[in-house]
């Protein structure tokens, strides 16, 4: 029986590498009737902020070729509600619940984590330093120094596992990854959404409200996310969680080949709530088919010399 | 912490009939026993051609009719998703996630007025059947469209029920009264005995809301609204609609608290500033 | 009759805003039998370098959801061949031929433009400071200072129109745009491809050769490219040429709403060589339909207050 | 500065027949007068379901047969593009851009040997007809596949022509000789009088190249190769294939200088290092 367990560090062991991505699974309750939360490895909650947020005005979502834009604006009930009302209920599911935390300043993150640290039921934190849909949401994530400062500040107040979620909207994602690793991150998730814009052709302005931009997710961004994961993998030694455009087992395998230790399913859950559970089963089958016992054996090692598939299959080249 | 999805299933149905209703409107019927069994008038389902991931997201459609284990939807090809759904053929698979959302309040008001604009006809056949079963004596439908070709066939509202009266209105006068569907509304209002239900384009609903504000309050005044949806089941927070909150303006989720809402709950001024969902 | 002419500066007036993007139209000859080059506004040639280049090893292209990755590696016959053999033949077509120039150092760009400046038939240059598929290809394009230095150096040696083509793989594309504008660019094209990676699931390594990464183009990137164009538009006053994922007239209109003065059709020409010509006709029809005489009237002005479409249509809100 | 595209047209054809050949293989025939009129054996066309932009790129397929104004293609559903093409039904539109590339050299060699592996069968029916019309007395086809179910039907190579002989080879021995198709090749080689043509998976072609290297040179020894293609007409530079250039290793374009190439031109060592184009 192949082994799907994954160790994210600080004692956080996931039963399998498949998680539901932040913002696509609420706080669990929203889709517990549709997704078997006992079968997945982790649930990353909707971004949680110090104070409650009503979110952005509509329209908040728009579809594009193979993707969707969202500008939810971090609608959430605020960290106190999450810590006192939601967290006590998290343990009803067997999946690890990792609370995604967002803020505009280092201090807001620290306050959120302090408050959440007082609650049981929380397996770890995912620091969203990359939300494109709120003012200043990207500032902390674009500069390696700022990202490290944030990570170190949160590290100082919690012993729980810290996952830092990176923005792809940067010149050098590897540099940010290396900076947060040195500052004490236990794992990295990559990537958040890409800044996109869709126009309303009759109205001659953006479809989405506000500045009009939103975050692009879905299959359209998969090759970009896989590239980001490979770049992060090359820059750090800690676990990497791949996210962006996964809709089936093959997609998840691609991220693992690129260097991910775990994955998150985001947008794909919307049209098909069973996606994550299907991928858990699919990964087990894939390991059996390929004949290996752990997913990490799938990983591509760029340094190793390339052997052609045919050659590997024992077909000799002509003399 | 919604727990209202216990009735929701993702079922793969088989298309059993596709009827062209004129004006590009199509009625797609599929064997979907679960949905057909539990859907209430005004609820919707998230549809896609069986197993298809292009387009990425499903599309929301009101359940228009149910009969035994078959559920029917009325739609017209306006964009990529509806084009593919409208091209389905009998025997092909259709995925339906539902029933979703809050339906209409069906109580025993003596009379009911259904205001239908264009494709807003979709939820009415099911609602009308339920109203009549719940004891409503007369159901009047005022059904409007740009032209005769785009009118939902009157007989499909009534489905043979003599207690249902349909009045047609077209903008170009090609059938029935010439004008906007809301022009025909005031004559049918009579305060406390007539429940009012509406579904149609935003400007129509706004005009209706204005008419109702100047009239004696009906026992029920509900509209079915639309918003672009990511999930359809309350998780993505994408389908916000402006409502009049306790402390001023607020948002609610069309897919979970709607799509049917009480007229006075909606913040119509704010809704008017939004572009139509369909981007052509 | 609506007016499609576009002025890119330095006397370069295009008969219409629709061009064929660099790398997707060769040097014109490759597809002159399939595309009526008299009907389009401009042809941006394949990237031209100081010395001939054989390009990267195969595989060089791979498809993804709504997009394609390429790692051609700037295969081209070298600037001398372009200047002496190709350029004299460019004038056989009515479209403007703008030579796309690439290099690894500022000096290489300067040398290329010097050599090309001696040839007739060339309407201007597009400086590709953004090729993801060659070593150092991105360095000059990621740093505003470097990009400006390159632009100024080329500006010093030519009076012809200089278009600078920006990379989207940066944290702040507006800053790069502003820098090259100040350094003397006449126009900006945005964007080049996004760095992406596709895995070969059986081989457990990238599909594409070399580092494995390629540049993502096609409809998948359209919302990202439109966002980039809006950001560039907000940062500069010179003409902006929008490129990325356009496959029909509506797509081109979206870029123009976002602030583009002209557009380029890239990948879409591959499956359908008639795309660009169809869009030229489509834009004329669109202007007639909307009832305006110049495309620039379509432009979105973010500063102007939003008027709801319904409100604009004269539907009064309730009292 | 290629000027060889003068014959190329983008034509929208109508599918007239879809034949299931077993083993998932499908023959799609469409009314495509231009292609049917001018395509030469070994040339290909870039296909897509009429007007479809999903998948984004067209897919290359050998012209397998032409008859009056109808062109036929043989394919199997291996990925997203072939799945959609294999699901076409009569009456539906098919876009074909072609004919593209360099075909086989058809000269009057006395005998010809066609080595076909799996879907590599596709170009042979057209080639065989041309060879026989050009005076070749005997055409022998060695046709291999993993199992009987996956063999291209022998009768479709010959199409009733008694000068065509088909020898079948299967890896599992379920029909004909058991083994690799190339095992059957040496017996049919006889140096200068037999032209050799091959199409199939890379390992098969490599094995054939090795056999030929140890044999007297045939008058013609050509293979039809594959490369992932962006455009199919020489513009994107995406379809590079490794060849033995004047000064060592070099690239050539599969779509423009190929897909048919002389065996000795190809750099087989380099080709062996490439992963199969199809990514599953
Ligand atoms: C609760 C609900 C019930 C509906 N019931 C019906 C019905 O019974 N019959 C019917 O014909 N239509 C109905 N609609 C509208 C229908 O969902 C849209 O016409 C459809 O989504 C358009 O998809 P498309 O791909 O063809 O258009 P596109 O414009 O290509 O779609 C692009 C995106 O915009 C969204 N979108 C486009 N138009 C609408 C719209 N009017 N409302 C919400 N989102 C939209 C799509 O879902 C998609 O995400 C309903 C909408 C909602 C919210
Ligand atoms: C000149 C030429 C002629 C061909 N003739 C035939 C034929 O007559 N019958 C037939 O069945 N097949 C033929 N093929 C192979 C056929 O083009 C591929 O099977 C097809 O492109 C697969 O597309 P897909 O979307 O189903 O697979 P996917 O794997 O989903 O395609 C992904 C990408 O890889 C490319 N790709 C996948 N497999 C191949 C391949 N074998 N060769 C080149 N590119 C590939 C696709 O074009 C696409 O860009 C030919 C290929 C070439 C280059
Ligand atoms: C509607 C929506 C809301 C999201 N909200 C958040 C969020 O609150 N915090 C966060 O870190 N990421 C958020 N994301 C990003 C996803 O977690 C994920 O990184 C991204 O969507 C890419 O994955 P996908 O392509 O599988 O969706 C959101 C994505 C979507 C689509
Ligand atoms: C095969 C291919 C080759 C390209 N070569 C170049 C090039 O040489 N120079 C350049 O500036 N851009 C090059 N590009 C980028 C395109 O010009 C364009 O910026 C990009 O593809 C986005 O547009 P599209 O989505 O319409 O293709 C190339 C793109 C493709 C697909
Ligand atoms: S559509 Fe996702 S919350 Fe309503
Ligand atoms: S496929 Fe584009 S050059 Fe050959």
């Amino acid at each position: 029986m192949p082994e799907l367990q994954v160790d994210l560090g600080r004692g956080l062991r996931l039963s399998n590498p498949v998680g539901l991505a932040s913002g696509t699974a609420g706080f669990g309750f929203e889709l517990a009737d549709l997704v078997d939360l006992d079968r997945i490895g982790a649930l990353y909650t909707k971004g949680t902020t110090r104070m409650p947020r009503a979110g952005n005005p509509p329209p908040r979502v728009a579809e594009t070729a193979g993707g969707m834009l969202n500008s939810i604006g971090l609608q959430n009930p605020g960290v106190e509600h999450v810590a006192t009302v939601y967290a006590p209920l998290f343990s009803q599911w067997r999946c690890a619940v990792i609370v995604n935390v967002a803020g505009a300043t280092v201090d807001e993150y620290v306050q959120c984590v302090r408050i959440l640290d007082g609650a049981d039921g929380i397996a770890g934190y995912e620091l969203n330093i990359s939300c494109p849909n709120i003012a200043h949401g990207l500032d902390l994530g674009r500069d390696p120094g700022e990202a490290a400062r944030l990570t170190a500040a949160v590290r100082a107040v919690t012993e729980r596992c810290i996952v830092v979620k990176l923005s792809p909207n940067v010149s050098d994602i590897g540099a940010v990854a290396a900076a947060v690793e040195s500052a004490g991150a236990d794992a990295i998730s990559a990537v958040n959404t890409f800044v996109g814009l869709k126009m309303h052709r009759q109205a001659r302005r953006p479809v989405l409200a506000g500045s009009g931009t939103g975050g692009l997710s879905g299959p359209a961004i998969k090759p970009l996310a896989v590239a980001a994961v490979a770049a992060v993998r090359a820059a750090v030694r800690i676990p990497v969680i791949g996210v962006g455009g996964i809709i089936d087992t093959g997609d998840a395998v691609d991220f693992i080949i690129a260097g991910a230790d775990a994955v998150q399913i985001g947008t794909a859950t919307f049209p098909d709530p069973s996606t994550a559970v299907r991928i858990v089963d699919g990964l087990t089958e894939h390991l059996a088919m390929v004949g290996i016992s752990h997913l990490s054996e799938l990983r591509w090692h760029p340094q190793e010399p390339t052997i052609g598939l045919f050659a590997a299959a024992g077909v000799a080249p002509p003399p | 912490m919604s727990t209202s999805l216990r009735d929701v299933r993702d079922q793969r149905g088989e298309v059993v009939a596709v009827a062209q209703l004129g004006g590009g409107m199509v009625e797609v019927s599929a064997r979907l026993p679960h949905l057909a069994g539990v859907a209430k008038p005004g609820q919707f389902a998230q549809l896609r051609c069986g197993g298809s991931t292009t387009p990425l997201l499903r599309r929301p459609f009101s359940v228009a009719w149910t009969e035994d284990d078959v559920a029917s939807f009325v739609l017209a090809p306006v964009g990529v998703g509806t084009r593919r759904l409208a091209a389905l053929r009998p025997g092909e698979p259709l995925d339906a996630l539902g029933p979703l959302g809050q339906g209409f309040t069906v109580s025993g008001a003596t009379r009911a007025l259904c205001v239908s604009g264009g494709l807003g006809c979709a939820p009415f056949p099911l609602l009308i059947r339920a109203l009549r079963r719940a004891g409503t004596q007369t159901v009047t439908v005022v059904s409007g469209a740009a032209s005769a070709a785009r009118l939902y066939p009157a007989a499909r509202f009534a489905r043979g029920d003599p207690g249902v009266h349909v009045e047609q209105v077209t903008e170009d006068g090609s059938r029935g009264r010439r004008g906007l569907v809301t022009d025909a509304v005031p004559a049918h209002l009579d305060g406390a005995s007539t429940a009012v239900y509406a579904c149609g384009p935003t400007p129509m609903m706004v005009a209706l809301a204005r008419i109702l504000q100047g009239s004696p309050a009906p026992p029920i005044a509900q509209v079915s609204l639309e918003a672009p949806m990511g999930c359809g089941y309350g998780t993505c927070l994408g389908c916000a609609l402006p409502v009049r909150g306790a402390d001023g303006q607020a948002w609610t989720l069309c897919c979970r608290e709607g799509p049917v809402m009480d007229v006075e709950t909606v913040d119509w001024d704010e809704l008017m500033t939004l572009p139509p969902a369909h981007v052509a």
Side-chain angles (χ1 to χ4, degrees), chain A, chain B:
Chain A
M1 184 65 182
E3 184 52 74
L4 287 185
Q5 282 191 27
V6 177
D7 193 339
L8 289 188
R10 305 258 158 181
L12 178 47
R13 241 183 132 70
L14 308 181
S15 62
N16 69 64
V18 183
L20 298 178
S22 175
T24 66
F27 290 88
F29 317 102
E30 293 83 345
L31 43 52
D33 287 332
L34 298 177
V35 179
D36 186 347
L37 297 180
D38 295 337
R39 301 267 342 266
I40 58 166
L43 184 151
Y44 302 78
T45 72
K46 176 66 191 164
T48 300
T49 52
R50 182 66 193 83
M51 301 304 292
R53 287 177 60 99
N56 289 342
R60 293 178 175 183
V61 295
E63 194 168 322
T64 67
M68 75 176 267
L69 290 168
N70 87 79
S71 177
I72 307 299
L74 283 177
Q75 176 178 337
N76 79 94
V79 68
E80 270 147 23
H81 192 81
V82 172
T84 57
V85 181
Y86 291 172
L89 303 171
F90 287 158
S91 53
Q92 69 184 289
W93 307 304
R94 249 174 260 151
C95 65
V97 177
I98 295 170
V99 177
N100 181 283
V101 175
T105 65
V106 169
D107 194 47
E108 281 183 51
Y109 284 88
V110 170
Q111 287 186 43
C112 282
V113 170
R114 272 223 173 91
I115 293 166
L116 292 164
D117 239 25
D120 288 339
I122 295 172
Y125 306 109
E126 183 178 49
L127 307 184
N128 173 6
I129 61 167
S130 46
C131 185
N133 299 326
I134 57 164
H136 309 295
L138 281 170
D139 296 354
L140 290 167
R142 280 190 174 160
D143 181 66
E146 287 292 289
R149 191 165 68 87
L150 169 63
T151 308
V154 174
R155 177 78 291 160
V157 301
T158 186
E159 283 304 310
R160 285 184 178 154
C161 181
I162 299 179
V163 180
V164 179
K165 183 162 180 184
L166 302 186
S167 169
N169 302 290
V170 299
S171 299
D172 185 355
I173 196 170
V176 185
V180 303
E181 177 182 46
S182 326
D186 299 303
I188 284 170
S189 48
V191 291
N192 211 315
T193 54
F194 290 74
V195 178
L197 185 56
K198 177 172 174 172
M199 288 298 170
H200 196 294
R201 227 160 275 157
Q202 287 128 307
R204 295 186 215 157
R205 59 179 173 91
V207 170
L208 300 181
S211 75
T213 57
L216 186 67
S217 62
I221 68 166
K222 188 190 141 192
L224 310 182
V226 172
V229 164
V232 171
R233 179 74 285 158
V236 303
R237 303 177 63 94
I238 52 178
V240 176
I241 305 164
V243 49
I246 298 176
I247 65 171
D248 63 23
T249 301
D251 294 327
V253 169
D254 290 344
F255 275 89
I256 290 163
I257 294 171
D261 299 88
V263 295
Q264 294 174 6
I265 317 301
T267 308
T269 297
F270 296 156
D272 196 339
S274 70
T275 306
V277 171
R278 263 193 300 107
I279 292 177
V280 174
D281 292 337
L283 287 177
T284 305
E285 286 160 27
H286 190 83
L287 288 185
M289 188 185 78
V290 177
I292 59 178
S293 62
H294 197 273
L295 284 170
S296 58
E297 295 169 52
L298 292 172
R299 186 176 295 170
W300 166 54
H301 295 280
Q303 282 70 30
E304 286 174 14
T306 291
I307 305 167
L309 246 204
F310 297 130
V315 183
Chain B
M1 281 198 264
S2 148
T3 47
S4 59
L5 301 178
R6 263 187 233 125
D7 270 353
V8 178
R9 298 275 181 288
D10 184 11
Q11 210 164 49
R12 173 152 308 172
E14 188 193 318
V15 175
V16 295
V18 181
Q20 305 295 330
L21 307 182
M25 251 182 293
V26 177
E27 186 184 76
V28 177
S29 303
R31 190 161 291 119
L32 288 163
H34 177 72
L35 191 69
V38 306
K40 292 194 281 274
Q43 287 192 302
F44 68 99
Q46 284 276 67
L47 303 185
R48 66 173 179 191
C49 297
S52 167
T53 54
T54 323
L56 178 61
L57 301 174
R58 296 195 191 203
R59 302 293 191 250
F61 296 92
S62 305
V63 180
W65 190 247
T66 62
E67 191 94 61
D68 302 327
D69 59 356
V70 171
S72 302
F73 309 92
V74 175
L75 52 92
V78 298
V80 50
T82 47
R83 256 199 307 277
R84 295 205 54 196
L85 289 165
L88 279 169
R89 287 176 263 204
E92 291 184 333
L94 174 72
D95 291 341
L97 179 74
L100 296 163
Q102 311 301 324
F104 293 103
T105 304
V106 177
S107 72
T110 322
R111 278 184 286 276
L113 174 66
C114 297
V115 186
S116 164
L119 285 161
C121 59
F124 289 121
L126 201 62
L127 172 64
I128 291 166
R129 180 174 68 184
L131 288 169
R132 292 281 293 153
R133 285 185 181 164
T136 298
Q137 285 163 24
T138 328
V139 178
T140 303
V141 182
V142 292
S143 168
S147 64
R150 293 172 169 260
L151 278 170
Y152 186 64
R156 296 186 95 89
F157 286 113
R159 311 240 171 184
D161 178 342
V164 182
H165 306 283
V166 181
E167 180 178 343
Q168 294 182 319
V169 187
T170 53
E171 282 173 49
D172 65 359
S174 51
R175 176 147 344 128
R177 176 178 179 149
R178 174 197 296 266
L180 297 172
V181 63
T182 42
D183 299 342
V185 166
H188 297 287
L189 294 176
D190 71 345
S193 65
T194 301
V196 179
Y197 305 95
C199 186
T202 302
M204 177 198 104
M205 311 263 234
V206 168
L208 178 70
R210 207 166 10 171
I211 291 168
L212 292 178
Q213 269 185 335
S215 321
I220 295 168
Q222 292 183 323
V223 291
S224 178
L225 295 179
E226 292 180 350
M229 293 186 172
C231 64
Y233 52 82
T235 300
C236 74
L237 309 178
C239 60
L241 281 177
V243 290
R244 294 176 176 143
D247 45 355
Q249 214 257 293
W251 315 120
T252 197
L253 297 182
C254 178
C255 74
R256 200 173 61 189
E257 312 305 330
V260 173
M261 318 246 298
D262 291 336
V263 170
E264 71 267 21
T265 321
V266 180
D267 185 337
W268 295 102
D269 293 299
E270 185 69 24
L271 200 65
M272 283 285 286
T273 69
L274 306 181
H278 176 65
V279 181

